[in-house]
Amino acid sequence: MSPRRVRLRPVTCRSRFAAIHDAAVSRTRRRHRHRHRLLKPHTSPAAGSGSKASSTETNGLEELPEDIIHHIHSLLPIQDAAHAACVSRRFRRSWRSYSSLILSERTLGLDRKTEEWKTHLIDKVDKILTNHYHNGVKVKTLKLDIGPCRDIKASYLDRWLRIIKPGIQEFSLLLPLVVNKIYSFPCSVLSNEAAASSIQSLSLFGCAFHPTSILGRLRRLKSLSLRYVHVTEDGLGHLLSKSSALEWLEIEACSGIICLKIPCTLQQLKFLSVQKCEMVKVVEIDAPRLCSFRYCGTPVIYVRNSSQLKNVDISPVNLSGILSYARFSLPSIAQNVESLTLLAGRIENANTPMLPSKLPHLKNLKISLVKPWSSPNYDVFSLVSFLDASPALESFVLRVEQDAMMHDPVVGDDTEYRRQNLECRNNSLRKVMITGFCSAKSLVELTVHILERTHSLERFTLDITYGYDRRTCNIAKFPIARMIGQCWSLSKRALEEAHRAVETADRYIKGRVPSSVQFEVLGPCPRCHIGK
């Protein structure tokens, strides 16, 4: 018997709308059935027959209350919502008050294959926002993604921003980075106290923003994102002073700031991210409830009242000694840190010193070593300093990028891979993973030290292939691998080193693993790497 053929129908705007509509109609009919039965007038059989025929022709939308119509319409993506307004009078009325506008080439369904798609994008956005403005619609969410349109005129943007009125809750503006003249976001847009006090999320990308004293009080602003924005220290000071409810702050690749000050007025701030701001030399933080801090830049950091700071992520920009800086400074600026992520710079020449200061609450530690610009000479064994300083440490992950370390040949006996006269121990560490494990002597010494000095250890994993291990093609660790069903490729030299690393692990490490520890070496994938 031939297999049953199943015909698949493409999911379209119409089918999505129909599904939502049918479900709402069904609920509404059940809810009002009893009321309709009471209100239905008595008719003769003949009249009843005609009434039945008439009700069959009635569109189900007419039975829905207006608030249900608005709710259904609000669930549709903007492109589908616009299409629905073209085929239904009730949705057309709802479209005139559609309050969530997410406008981009994707949401508007534009085809990049056409030569004039950028012009069409500007025209569509202009028409939608102009109609909403003239109809007096109170927009709650406005997200404008005009990144591809390098020739966008400031006059269009000024006209579009008129729609920001009292009631706006979320606003996002993404502009192209490469333009003849950078657009200056007008502070007057948020000078209206009613509009300023209603906004909860503000995101700006690719513009200049110079807040002044005319800025309204942003009483409900909880999320602020400034990326590739030119803003001065005074301007940012005005902005933060009016944002007392701020909980989430992101500053990325912004120019005009040398000393970044996070004032104590931000009593609710819990997350702070400062990335790629090359002009920033000093960061001063006085936010008493700050929980998470992510920083990529020159690490000159001062933190007052860091009792709530639990998560820290630091990576440098063209700077050496980040690991030594972190080991020296973190016990004073983030004594209560529980999760720490460090990315070593490309000129990490200074070994991490042994210091008496501690990180008493640190539970999760992740350190990444990247390929240096010059010959690698960092002694990875010196990371023992972090283990010694963290008596509560439970998880340690070390990621070693390819060529981040000198690969030593496998020679000598076991005693050559044990550092003498080092008594530091850890009685809380349970899980350790090293990705990019290689035959570097100092890395082997670190591995041996952890195995011999950590009695609480439960699981130890050595990933030879820089994270592109055999599990990739099975559990789809990477999106590309998930699509093609195979691991990330390894060069011939990397594959040779992977085999040497496996030999090193078998010869110098495997015999030292306690029976209570689950030990795993993830070598080259037999399906994707072996025999290639």
Side-chain angles (χ1 to χ4, degrees):
M1 184 173 62
S2 61
R4 181 183 178 185
R5 295 183 178 179
V6 180
R7 184 179 180 184
L8 300 178
R9 293 188 302 169
V11 179
T12 62
C13 159
R14 187 75 178 179
S15 62
R16 285 195 298 266
F17 157 69
I20 299 175
H21 159 257
D22 292 344
V25 169
S26 178
R27 289 195 301 268
T28 305
R29 283 176 173 172
R30 287 195 301 269
R31 188 187 310 162
H32 299 291
R33 184 176 295 144
H34 182 66
R35 186 184 69 180
H36 288 170
R37 186 180 296 116
L38 294 175
L39 296 177
K40 184 177 179 180
H42 176 73
T43 58
S44 63
S49 176
S51 175
K52 182 178 180 180
S54 176
S55 65
T56 302
E57 298 174 0
T58 301
N59 190 338
L61 287 175
E62 301 302 326
E63 300 181 17
L64 296 177
E66 200 67 27
D67 58 338
I68 299 295
I69 289 290
H70 286 300
H71 179 67
I72 295 174
H73 209 195
S74 67
L75 297 176
L76 296 174
I78 187 167
Q79 185 181 3
D80 297 346
H83 289 168
C86 295
V87 298
S88 166
R89 287 192 301 271
R90 298 199 69 185
F91 277 126
R92 192 175 305 127
R93 291 196 298 269
S94 175
W95 172 252
R96 296 191 182 104
S97 59
Y98 194 80
S99 61
S100 180
L101 299 178
I102 304 175
L103 306 175
S104 67
E105 57 172 302
R106 182 183 61 83
T107 59
L108 293 176
L110 297 179
D111 186 0
R112 282 202 173 202
K113 295 179 181 180
T114 61
E115 296 182 358
E116 299 180 347
W117 70 271
K118 295 180 182 179
T119 303
H120 293 161
L121 172 60
I122 295 175
D123 289 344
K124 282 195 172 185
V125 171
D126 187 61
K127 184 175 181 180
I128 292 173
L129 294 181
T130 300
N131 288 339
H132 272 60
Y133 175 77
H134 289 309
N135 290 329
V137 178
K138 291 185 177 180
V139 175
K140 294 182 179 180
T141 298
L142 177 59
K143 295 183 180 181
L144 295 175
D145 182 354
I146 317 295
C149 304
R150 297 182 179 181
D151 298 328
I152 182 70
K153 296 179 180 179
S155 58
Y156 276 93
L157 296 170
D158 291 339
R159 182 163 68 245
W160 297 345
L161 294 180
R162 295 180 304 173
I163 205 169
I164 298 180
K165 298 178 179 180
I168 186 74
Q169 296 179 3
E170 184 176 1
F171 175 70
S172 173
L173 177 64
L174 191 153
L175 297 176
L177 290 178
V178 181
V179 291
N180 294 328
K181 183 179 180 181
I182 188 171
Y183 177 72
S184 182
F185 182 81
C187 180
S188 58
V189 171
L190 296 174
S191 62
N192 182 289
E193 284 291 341
S197 63
S198 67
I199 194 165
Q200 300 177 16
S201 175
L202 176 63
S203 176
L204 300 178
F205 182 103
C207 64
F209 186 32
H210 302 295
T212 63
S213 57
I214 69 170
L215 185 70
R217 296 188 63 83
L218 305 167
R219 304 174 189 274
R220 293 183 175 84
L221 185 64
K222 295 183 178 182
S223 174
L224 173 62
S225 175
L226 303 176
R227 294 181 296 158
Y228 295 89
V229 173
H230 179 75
V231 56
T232 64
E233 293 178 19
D234 290 340
L236 183 62
H238 281 300
L239 179 59
L240 297 182
S241 67
K242 299 294 183 72
S243 309
S244 58
L246 199 61
E247 298 179 1
W248 195 94
L249 174 59
E250 176 187 25
I251 302 175
E252 179 181 343
C254 291
S255 58
I257 305 172
I258 297 177
C259 179
L260 175 61
K261 296 182 180 181
I262 307 300
C264 61
T265 54
L266 299 183
Q267 295 284 316
Q268 306 301 321
L269 187 66
K270 296 180 176 61
F271 176 85
L272 172 63
S273 175
V274 183
Q275 308 262 355
K276 305 174 185 178
C277 299
E278 297 183 358
M279 295 183 64
V280 173
K281 303 302 180 183
V282 179
V283 178
E284 298 179 3
I285 302 173
D286 191 6
R289 296 188 180 180
L290 186 66
C291 298
S292 299
F293 177 47
R294 183 183 302 164
Y295 184 64
C296 177
T298 305
V300 180
I301 306 166
Y302 300 98
V303 182
R304 295 181 181 177
N305 194 2
S306 62
S307 60
Q308 301 298 317
L309 186 54
K310 308 294 185 182
N311 305 291
V312 176
D313 186 334
I314 299 179
S315 55
V317 174
N318 303 337
L319 190 73
S320 64
I322 182 64
L323 297 178
S324 298
Y325 172 84
R327 180 64 185 89
F328 179 80
S329 301
L330 283 178
S332 60
I333 66 176
Q335 188 175 15
N336 295 329
V337 63
E338 296 180 0
S339 180
L340 175 62
T341 301
L342 300 173
L343 174 64
R346 294 191 178 276
I347 44 179
E348 191 72 31
N349 294 324
N351 296 330
T352 307
M354 293 293 293
L355 298 172
S357 57
K358 301 292 183 181
L359 296 168
H361 303 286
L362 184 61
K363 296 181 180 180
N364 300 290
L365 175 62
K366 295 181 181 179
I367 298 178
S368 298
L369 301 178
V370 299
K371 179 180 178 180
W373 285 333
S374 58
S375 178
N377 58 1
Y378 179 75
D379 183 6
V380 71
F381 184 82
S382 66
L383 294 178
V384 167
S385 176
F386 282 99
L387 305 183
D388 179 55
S390 311
L393 190 65
E394 298 177 359
S395 173
F396 174 48
V397 177
L398 175 61
R399 305 192 184 279
V400 182
E401 188 177 292
Q402 188 172 359
D403 297 326
M405 304 184 65
M406 293 290 290
H407 298 174
D408 304 315
V410 183
V411 295
D413 56 26
D414 290 0
T415 59
E416 295 190 18
Y417 289 89
R418 181 186 291 112
R419 295 280 177 105
Q420 302 296 330
N421 301 322
L422 194 61
E423 296 300 328
C424 56
R425 297 177 181 273
N426 190 296
N427 295 320
S428 299
L429 188 59
R430 297 185 296 108
K431 297 180 181 180
V432 176
M433 182 172 186
I434 301 177
T435 66
F437 179 81
C438 62
S439 59
K441 184 177 180 180
S442 62
L443 186 55
V444 176
E445 290 173 334
L446 176 65
T447 304
V448 170
H449 173 84
I450 294 174
L451 286 170
E452 293 185 346
R453 305 283 176 158
T454 308
H455 301 301
S456 57
L457 198 60
E458 299 176 0
R459 183 180 181 87
F460 200 118
T461 304
L462 296 179
D463 185 352
I464 306 297
T465 55
Y466 309 99
Y468 309 137
D469 54 76
R470 67 170 61 90
R471 295 172 299 168
T472 301
C473 60
N474 295 327
I475 65 171
K477 181 186 295 185
F478 297 95
I480 295 179
R482 182 169 62 248
M483 290 187 293
I484 64 179
Q486 68 181 34
C487 297
W488 202 276
S489 62
L490 288 175
S491 66
K492 182 179 179 180
R493 186 169 64 86
L495 193 56
E496 292 174 352
E497 171 53 35
H499 288 301
R500 284 196 297 270
V502 171
E503 182 183 351
T504 301
D506 289 340
R507 182 173 178 179
Y508 297 103
I509 297 174
K510 194 172 182 179
R512 288 186 166 96
V513 180
S515 58
S516 59
V517 176
Q518 183 179 354
F519 181 68
E520 187 176 14
V521 178
L522 303 174
C525 176
R527 169 183 159 184
C528 304
H529 295 147
I530 303 302
K532 295 294 184 181

